[in-house]
Amino acid sequence: MSERSPETHIIDYRAAEQLLATRDPRGAVKLLDSVIAVHPENTAARLLRARAFFAAAQLRLAELEFQLVLEREPDNAFAHFALARTYERVARPDQAKRHFRLAAALDPKPEYLAAARFDSDAQ
């Protein structure tokens, strides 16, 4: 097989997006593993792989990948939101709440605001 080119990695990334969209997260992870092996600094690929791990219920791997993304991009509201969902699924509500609130503070989308439940503190 010939040497993989940067174009091949872009194609693999796009194919992984499609696999995730069609509910094949394990197939997406497999493609993204090869992209990340060559481009470990690629945050977009890592975020997509984190989403695929989450969809495949590989929650510890999803958590680690979302954390890595946030180390590089601490203002990534989606990564905070997705990490919060991960914590929610593994019954770590305090950590989930913190990241839901960070997501909402960074980007006041209705979905993020609802998950942050700021109004629950007023009681």
Side-chain angles (χ1 to χ4, degrees), residues 8-18 31-32 35 42-49 51:
T8 305
H9 299 131
I10 293 168
I11 291 166
D12 286 348
Y13 177 87
R14 296 291 178 215
E17 287 180 316
Q18 291 302 311
L31 285 175
L32 291 165
V35 173
N42 187 311
T43 305
R46 288 193 173 276
L47 187 57
L48 187 60
R49 185 165 72 171
R51 290 177 48 218

Side-chain angles (χ1 to χ4, degrees), residues 99-116:
H99 286 280
F100 279 137
R101 290 184 172 195
L102 284 166
L106 290 164
D107 185 354
K109 286 183 178 178
E111 180 182 14
Y112 296 175
L113 289 169

Side-chain angles (χ1 to χ4, degrees), residues 54-77:
F54 182 86
Q58 292 179 293
L59 300 178
R60 181 64 183 142
L61 293 172
E63 175 188 353
L64 293 170
E65 203 71 45
F66 284 129
Q67 288 173 339
L68 196 142
V69 168
L70 287 169
E71 285 175 17
R72 296 174 183 183
E73 296 180 1
D75 61 344
N76 186 319

Side-chain angles (χ1 to χ4, degrees), residues 80-82 84-85 88 93 96-104 109-120:
H80 280 289
F81 183 77
R85 287 279 184 235
E88 195 174 56
K97 182 178 179 180
R98 176 178 181 269
H99 286 280
F100 279 137
R101 290 184 172 195
L102 284 166
K109 286 183 178 178
E111 180 182 14
Y112 296 175
L113 289 169
R117 296 185 290 279
F118 288 114
D119 58 346
S120 67

